Amino acid sequence: MNLSLMLLLLFLMTALIIVLAVKIMIDKKDFRKLESQAEIKNLKLKEQHGKIKELEDDLKSKLKKARNIHQRMLPDKLAEPADYFISDYYQPAEYIGGDYYNVFKIDHGALDSFFDQYLLYFFDVSGHGIDSTLLSIFVNDSIENYFKLRHSPGEKISTSKLMNYIDQRYQNEGFPDDYLVCLFIAVLDKKKSTLNYSSGGFQYPIYKLDQEEQIKEINIGGLPISAALGALPDSREEQTLNFEKNNTLMLSTDGLLEQSNGQQQYFQQLQGILKKYKFLPAPFLKDLIRSDFYKFTNDSPGKDDITFLLVERPAGEIINCIFDQENNNAEAAEIKEFLDQNLWSEHPLLQTFKDIITDLLKNPEFKLKIKALNKQQLLMFSLENLNDKTGWDSILNYYPDLISIAEKDLNRSQNGEADISFNKKEIYFSHTASNNRMYLMLIKEDDLN
Amino acid sequence: MLKESLKLLVENNKAVLKFEGEVIFDNSNQLKEEAKQMLSKNEGVNKLVIDLANVSYLDSSGVGLILSLFKFMRNKKGTLAVAAANEKIKRVFEVTKLQEIIPVYAGVEEAMEEEPV
């Protein structure tokens, strides 16, 4: 090989090395550039994630606040006529819902003794967001306004006209077309033993339980209140139900009844429960339905708010008294006499039951509102501490064997219904959600169900 | 419910809107927006039939969606009807008396043949 060829090869190799070196440098530069771009994108992504998290937290915080507002709106205590028991249950959906209910005594001023009436209502607004809470506030406000502005003491209350008033106000507010309000409004007239009601939008029935007869399913239905439909005056007629002794009404928004467990809706199971356990007083029937429902859903929270009310007009003897230090002798004697009724004095747990009540009566911090029910199958005491809401723990600590159906893991019969045997060997207790009322129950006859 | 399961079939001035699955709170808002968008692209439609043959369940938000489409059609001087609903959904329309305002037909063809009032 001659020298010139070798020089040419050397030159070519040097050139190749230089080209490769330049290429590597360029690639490295590109790589750094890409790396830097990736870092920038990463930073931007982190920033976006941060913003999304911030928005999520903000939304959750707003939903929490709205949920608190909604919870605070719900009545702490429902007005309860002396010879009735009213029990309520409310569990909001995952975020917040739009269910609401209330019972209050209608003010007839000086004519109160002629009109012993209570307004009872519940409603469900579609959706579960902040909007639904605001809509709930609006509907509730409309009902309260009606009684402040449109109702005069002594005047007959038409639930149909009240519906018209709410509908008209709703139309004036310009709510979106796809929102709707399902509403049930009733006047419980104690003098006439009737419940006059108007309803709109509910798909599911209410139930009338009669101890002597079959359960009656009442389709309340009616047109919902909606901006898409416009005002529909007088389309939701007033209906009348007789509400005699021994009757219980089960009222519910759709959430409880339409809940599915993948195989069936709770609606299909509830009737069996009501039929089997209709002898229970409202507070205990409420606990049983609650337990049965969560067993049905396998403890998962419902997609919708779960709201139901039980309004019971029991048969049997009822005494009502307020027990405080000023009148303790007279009231204590009445309660003692009530407890000593010889009809069932041989009950094995009567003494324990008496001890619990007597202990409560001795407590000077308690101003107790007592309502006692004595009927053929059972005895129940409703105890409300008018001074404090947290006074029951000491009783529960001192009598740990008291049975709560709400906390009981229910067995099921072959057809899927709750299977619990109420018996003479237990004292059952229940309390309201706000804990202001406690109930104690003693069963007099075994095998009631 | 997936987007592709919402279908609008247009024939002259009539249209069939077909839903599938459950129409509930979780999907009703999205379905409403999509349905209105589809209908806005077909301005000549003055009769809309909602085909519920493949809908198993409507909750109150689902009813709200139908009411919203009812108002949408009414605003453009059109009509809306519901067809092929299962027994459960028919019962909703019956109990809430919505069938007095929105006609409910056994089948889509029957609903399409009926002349708008």
Side-chain angles (χ1 to χ4, degrees):
Chain A
M1 197 182 292
N2 63 22
L3 186 63
S4 58
L5 191 62
M6 282 178 68
L7 283 171
L8 181 65
L9 276 172
L10 189 67
F11 173 76
L12 285 172
M13 280 177 71
T14 312
L16 186 66
I17 289 167
I18 291 168
V19 168
L20 283 171
V22 169
K23 177 91 171 76
I24 288 168
M25 278 172 70
I26 291 170
D27 283 353
K28 228 176 174 177
K29 206 177 163 187
D30 282 349
F31 181 71
R32 280 202 201 108
K33 201 176 161 187
L34 282 172
E35 211 176 37
S36 151
Q37 280 175 347
E39 265 176 38
I40 292 167
K41 281 190 177 163
N42 206 14
L43 277 172
K44 278 188 179 168
L45 205 64
K46 274 188 184 167
E47 201 181 309
Q48 297 290 343
H49 270 302
K51 278 185 186 167
I52 290 169
K53 175 89 176 48
E54 238 174 68
L55 286 170
E56 268 181 2
D57 290 347
D58 185 44
L59 185 65
K60 277 183 186 164
S61 152
K62 282 178 179 158
L63 283 169
K64 198 176 167 189
K65 279 179 193 163
R67 186 174 171 150
N68 289 341
I69 292 169
H70 187 256
Q71 292 271 34
R72 278 203 297 271
M73 253 174 69
L74 287 164
D76 199 27
K77 192 162 70 173
L78 301 173
E80 189 178 71
D83 48 348
Y84 285 68
F85 289 99
I86 301 179
S87 283
D88 56 311
Y89 180 76
Y90 172 72
Q91 176 65 45
E94 194 177 356
Y95 291 108
I96 46 172
D99 283 10
Y100 188 86
Y101 57 92
N102 200 2
V103 182
F104 63 80
K105 187 162 175 32
I106 297 167
D107 181 13
H108 282 291
L111 299 166
D112 254 351
S113 55
F114 298 103
F115 296 91
D116 198 357
Q117 293 177 328
Y118 289 78
L119 190 85
L120 185 160
Y121 62 94
F122 63 94
F123 59 82
D124 176 5
V125 302
S126 60
H128 311 287
I130 294 167
D131 290 354
S132 56
T133 293
L134 294 174
L135 192 46
S136 287
I137 294 171
F138 168 82
V139 177
N140 197 45
D141 185 53
S142 299
I143 296 171
E144 286 178 4
N145 260 356
Y146 183 86
F147 281 90
K148 278 182 202 154
L149 307 173
R150 299 286 177 102
H151 169 67
S152 308
E155 188 184 33
K156 183 186 181 297
I157 295 149
S158 155
T159 53
S160 179
K161 279 186 183 159
L162 179 49
M163 276 279 189
N164 290 346
Y165 175 78
I166 298 162
D167 192 0
Q168 193 56 61
R169 270 192 108 212
Y170 184 91
Q171 305 303 331
N172 295 341
E173 289 297 320
F175 285 109
D177 297 340
D178 56 336
Y179 284 24
L180 56 94
V181 179
C182 304
L183 172 63
F184 174 91
I185 303 179
V187 173
L188 173 64
D189 192 319
K190 282 191 62 195
K191 296 271 180 197
K192 295 180 182 164
S193 297
T194 55
L195 188 93
N196 288 353
Y197 69 90
S198 295
S199 168
F202 286 111
Q203 300 182 20
Y204 291 93
I206 61 169
Y207 297 93
K208 186 179 170 192
L209 283 58
D210 190 311
Q211 299 302 324
E212 311 299 327
E213 294 170 21
Q214 292 290 313
I215 291 166
K216 196 172 171 191
E217 189 179 291
I218 302 159
N219 282 318
I220 50 174
L223 285 159
I225 294 176
S226 153
L229 296 172
L232 297 164
D234 302 325
S235 66
R236 302 167 190 99
E237 287 167 9
E238 189 163 306
Q239 311 282 339
T240 301
L241 266 178
N242 289 327
F243 203 167
E244 306 295 342
K245 277 192 173 181
N246 243 343
N247 285 171
T248 300
L249 277 179
M250 156 100 193
L251 314 166
S252 166
T253 57
D254 291 346
L256 177 87
L257 301 167
E258 71 186 4
Q259 181 68 41
S260 168
N261 64 357
Q263 290 163 324
Q264 63 169 355
Q265 286 180 301
Y266 190 63
F267 165 66
Q268 292 156 282
Q269 184 163 305
L270 179 68
Q271 275 220 28
I273 300 293
L274 295 177
K275 194 175 168 190
K276 197 167 169 185
Y277 298 101
K278 64 181 183 181
F279 66 89
L280 285 173
F284 292 92
L285 187 55
K286 180 252 317 178
D287 284 353
L288 185 75
I289 294 168
R290 175 194 179 279
S291 293
D292 184 61
F293 177 75
Y294 287 109
K295 181 99 178 173
F296 174 84
T297 63
N298 215 4
D299 282 330
S300 70
K303 275 188 174 181
D304 200 353
D305 287 7
I306 307 299
T307 304
F308 64 92
L309 287 161
L310 289 158
V311 184
E312 180 193 13
R313 185 180 177 200
E317 183 190 1
I318 294 183
I319 62 160
N320 283 272
C321 55
I322 292 181
F323 185 88
D324 58 20
Q325 296 311 305
E326 286 170 18
N327 64 357
N328 57 3
N329 286 335
E331 299 292 3
E334 192 181 352
I335 294 161
K336 196 169 176 302
E337 191 188 327
F338 190 86
L339 281 165
D340 279 342
Q341 283 173 7
N342 58 20
L343 185 66
W344 52 287
S345 59
E346 289 173 7
H347 194 288
L349 282 172
L350 181 63
Q351 195 51 50
T352 313
F353 196 85
K354 278 183 180 177
D355 290 347
I356 298 173
I357 306 292
T358 315
D359 284 352
L360 278 168
L361 299 183
K362 276 183 198 159
N363 191 332
E365 289 173 11
F366 281 3
K367 183 180 179 186
L368 285 176
K369 185 174 176 187
I370 299 177
K371 191 178 204 176
L373 166 70
N374 183 15
K375 52 191 235 180
Q376 195 184 340
Q377 310 101 321
L378 53 90
L379 173 82
M380 183 176 78
F381 267 63
S382 159
L383 305 154
E384 184 181 341
N385 185 3
L386 300 175
N387 289 339
D388 188 9
K389 286 183 187 174
T390 55
W392 314 121
D393 292 349
S394 59
I395 303 163
L396 299 178
N397 290 338
Y398 203 75
Y399 297 97
D401 292 336
L402 298 180
I403 300 287
S404 163
I405 308 164
E407 287 159 21
K408 211 170 167 64
D409 188 18
L410 299 176
N411 292 323
R412 293 219 166 273
S413 64
Q414 280 185 337
N415 56 6
E417 288 164 3
D419 193 13
I420 174 168
S421 171
F422 289 88
N423 60 69
K424 288 161 76 173
K425 299 183 194 93
E426 315 280 5
I427 296 176
Y428 300 89
F429 89 91
S430 173
H431 60 82
T432 52
S434 58
N435 219 13
N436 58 2
R437 276 185 199 144
M438 182 192 186
Y439 303 90
L440 292 167
M441 177 175 75
L442 204 55
I443 299 287
K444 295 186 202 169
E445 299 169 3
D446 278 337
D447 303 321
L448 282 176
N449 40 321
Chain B
M1 185 182 277
L2 297 171
K3 191 174 177 177
E4 55 267 28
S5 63
L6 177 71
K7 285 180 190 154
L8 183 74
L9 307 167
V10 182
E11 195 182 304
N12 300 323
N13 60 342
K14 296 176 181 178
V16 177
L17 187 64
K18 196 175 171 70
F19 292 120
E20 285 192 16
E22 292 184 330
V23 184
I24 53 175
F25 172 69
D26 298 349
N27 59 15
S28 59
N29 200 38
Q30 193 190 346
L31 285 172
K32 180 192 72 181
E33 294 305 327
E34 284 168 13
K36 283 185 179 174
Q37 265 181 29
M38 287 175 172
L39 288 166
S40 299
K41 286 177 192 162
N42 293 278
E43 283 185 359
V45 171
N46 64 7
K47 173 159 188 169
L48 178 66
V49 175
I50 297 179
D51 179 359
L52 296 175
N54 293 328
V55 174
S56 55
Y57 181 61
L58 275 182
D59 72 358
S60 57
S61 301
V63 173
L65 158 66
I66 291 179
L67 288 179
S68 181
L69 292 175
F70 166 74
K71 175 107 183 264
F72 182 85
M73 290 305 294
R74 201 173 55 182
N75 284 348
K76 53 190 270 184
K77 311 272 183 241
T79 61
L80 179 128
V82 167
N86 65 26
E87 285 307 313
K88 209 189 286 180
I89 297 172
K90 268 197 259 179
R91 191 179 165 275
V92 172
F93 276 78
E94 192 185 312
V95 170
T96 57
K97 297 187 176 176
L98 278 170
Q99 66 180 20
E100 292 173 13
I101 290 169
I102 300 171
V104 178
Y105 294 96
V108 174
E109 278 182 21
E110 189 191 336
M112 290 290 271
E113 280 164 16
E114 201 69 32
E115 283 306 309
V117 182

